[in-house]
Amino acid sequence: MNPIPSFDLSRQYKLIGDEIRTAASEVLASGQYIGGSVVQGFEQQFAAYTGTAECVACNSGTDALFLALRSLQIGPGDEVITTPFTFVATAEVISAVGAKPVFVDIDPQTFNLDLNQIEAAITDRTKAIIPVHLFGQPVDMTRVMTIAQTHNLWVIEDCAQATGATWAGQKVGSIGHIGCFSFYPTKNLGACGDGGAMTTNDSGIAAQLRMLRDHGQKQRYMYEAIGVNSRLDAVQAAILQVKLRYLETWNIQRQTIASRYHDLLQSIAGIVIPQDIAGGQSVWNQYTIRVLQPQGESAPQGQNRRDRVRQQLQQHQVGSMVYYPKPLHIQPVYADLGYWTGDLTISEQMAQEVLSLPMFPELEADQQEQVVYALKDSLAH
Ligand SMILES: *Cc1c(COP(=O)(O)O)cnc(C)c1O
């Protein structure tokens, strides 16, 4: 039996490498490496794909979130509500613009923000909510938008892990005021390097985003704001144009893999498996199960049951990942926000239980069976 990695980009490259090399070498031969028609072409295609009026490409998902906050003039004195159970970038950018992240606990069914707890966290300083569509699972955007409208807040969707996911038939990134995407290689639409984008239906916001990503200039050498250099380069844009044509197919393959995992895992005791919620269609950037900690058993030497299962999987040469082992509210960098362990108990519990199994479009059925066999064996230990 061959090892099964938690993720493998080389298989995709084997399938579409010719197209990628052709697209990249056309850009290389053109001499137009920054900006130009290839980048604009990608922006138009991505706006069409997400069902938004405008797409502004940039250098990363982190920059997309940062620029989104800047474009809405969120800064010192402001508060932004988000989840502590996410990649650090979501909160990091709130701090980077000088605002304060306010963490709200999550729903253990979806690993996403617990929408019942948002209103209690709103103060007169709150300016925005950043819901994260974690692992590809969409947040109930109908409810988020209702809360935001009631309290006059901006909504910035962190779609980094959810390119193509839908809520109530609409693509994520098209429902809030701004959608932020990452094209980091392991995301559903991944570049061969860094890349990101913002989507919006508001042309005023789009103009701000374009200005800020380009040193605060609308017109060359006329600087109207303190901006940054955050561009998607033309080689990446050309590669993303190729990959965008496959995205729906890949997302469907991920959904097929998720439902096969579901069938194979549903009767196994000691774990909880993820499921689509009514109204949403996940794109399964991760397939993340919970390994339940046996009642009354504390984690000896910091090693809990999930960690032991993960180690056993490794013995079977099956890769797995822990996203995320420590929620953001209790990270050292946020010590000054005044949170303590025990404040956001669901996030803390999930950090102890989550285990992401191998998930990528090219994962084959017999490999999945191998993963499940190894998991059963690991759970029996
Ligand atoms: C990947 C990711 C980001 C950041 O994207 P980069 O392109 O790596 O900067 C932000 N938020 C979430 C939830 C992510 O998974």
Side-chain angles (χ1 to χ4, degrees):
M1 282 198 282
N2 292 320
I4 303 175
S6 59
F7 196 83
D8 184 355
L9 283 164
S10 67
R11 297 190 198 185
Q12 186 191 80
Y13 188 72
K14 253 185 221 141
L15 296 171
I16 61 163
D18 285 344
E19 279 179 89
I20 288 184
R21 281 189 297 275
T22 305
S25 56
E26 275 169 19
V27 173
L28 293 175
S30 77
Q32 175 82 54
Y33 302 148
I34 299 284
S37 62
V38 178
V39 177
Q40 276 168 17
F42 173 71
E43 288 181 335
Q44 280 159 13
Q45 289 167 19
F46 196 68
Y49 175 78
T50 53
T52 50
E54 308 239 21
C55 166
V56 181
C58 65
N59 187 253
S60 69
T62 306
D63 277 3
L65 291 160
F66 174 78
L67 292 166
L69 289 165
R70 286 286 316 278
S71 76
L72 302 173
Q73 264 128 46
I74 292 166
D78 296 336
E79 293 178 357
V80 178
I81 291 173
T82 194
T83 162
F85 199 66
T86 177
F87 181 58
V88 66
T90 316
E92 182 182 48
V93 293
I94 300 170
S95 308
V97 300
K100 182 180 154 189
V102 172
F103 296 113
V104 166
D105 212 354
I106 59 168
D107 173 346
Q109 251 79 59
T110 60
F111 304 116
N112 283 331
L113 269 177
D114 181 348
L115 303 182
N116 294 322
Q117 295 192 44
I118 288 187
E119 288 195 292
I122 296 174
T123 71
D124 50 13
R125 291 170 176 243
T126 310
K127 288 286 164 4
I129 306 171
I130 307 185
V132 179
H133 307 294
L134 199 73
F135 304 149
Q137 171 93 272
V139 174
D140 177 343
M141 287 305 294
T142 314
R143 278 190 69 196
V144 171
M145 296 314 287
T146 305
I147 295 167
Q149 270 145 23
T150 309
H151 298 273
N152 202 18
L153 305 175
W154 297 106
V155 175
I156 300 169
E157 293 178 71
D158 183 339
C159 308
Q161 300 184 7
T163 309
T166 58
W167 173 257
Q170 272 181 284
K171 289 247 164 50
V172 299
S174 69
I175 310 167
H177 300 99
I178 306 178
C180 295
F181 293 85
S182 165
F183 305 129
Y184 185 81
T186 61
K187 307 296 163 109
N188 289 45
L189 177 64
C192 299
D194 275 310
M198 300 147 288
T199 52
T200 183
N201 288 313
D202 183 319
S203 59
I205 291 175
Q208 284 292 312
L209 293 170
R210 276 182 218 288
M211 178 180 77
L212 290 167
R213 77 162 170 188
D214 188 23
H215 301 293
Q217 60 186 338
K218 278 185 192 145
Q219 220 183 313
R220 216 161 205 196
Y221 303 122
M222 281 291 289
Y223 307 107
E224 297 174 35
I226 300 296
V228 294
N229 169 7
S230 184
R231 298 179 286 234
L232 179 71
D233 70 67
V235 171
Q236 298 305 337
I239 292 169
L240 287 167
Q241 285 201 27
V242 171
K243 290 201 181 189
L244 185 56
R245 296 199 282 272
Y246 291 94
L247 181 59
E248 284 296 286
T249 307
W250 290 333
N251 281 345
I252 289 167
Q253 285 171 333
R254 286 175 185 271
Q255 281 151 5
T256 306
I257 291 166
S259 55
R260 194 178 294 123
Y261 268 141
H262 181 99
D263 293 345
L264 295 169
L265 295 174
Q266 60 179 339
S267 59
I268 298 182
I271 61 170
V272 177
I273 56 176
Q275 284 183 47
D276 271 314
I277 50 167
Q281 174 71 74
S282 174
V283 288
W284 302 102
N285 182 253
Q286 299 296 333
Y287 187 89
T288 303
I289 64 167
R290 290 168 53 194
V291 179
L292 299 175
Q293 186 76 1
Q295 286 279 315
E297 185 186 314
S298 64
Q301 282 89 49
Q303 230 213 8
N304 63 20
R305 180 159 164 82
R306 185 268 321 277
D307 295 332
R308 293 198 300 276
V309 168
R310 187 164 185 231
Q311 234 167 34
Q312 289 293 323
L313 282 174
Q314 248 154 29
Q315 305 275 309
H316 287 276
Q317 297 194 295
V318 169
S320 63
M321 298 295 276
V322 173
Y323 303 114
Y324 295 91
K326 194 178 177 74
L328 299 181
H329 68 286
I330 47 174
Q331 289 283 349
V333 68
Y334 282 129
D336 62 346
L337 290 179
Y339 293 96
W340 298 96
T341 300
D343 283 346
L344 301 171
T345 50
I346 305 295
S347 301
E348 293 161 25
Q349 185 190 342
M350 294 307 110
Q352 298 295 317
E353 293 182 354
V354 285
L355 188 66
S356 297
L357 302 180
M359 168 56 87
F360 47 93
E362 299 79 18
L363 186 67
E364 284 163 17
D366 60 332
Q367 294 181 306
Q368 270 193 278
E369 277 161 26
Q370 201 182 316
V371 171
V372 171
Y373 172 83
L375 182 64
K376 280 184 186 162
D377 193 63
S378 304
L379 284 162
H381 267 74

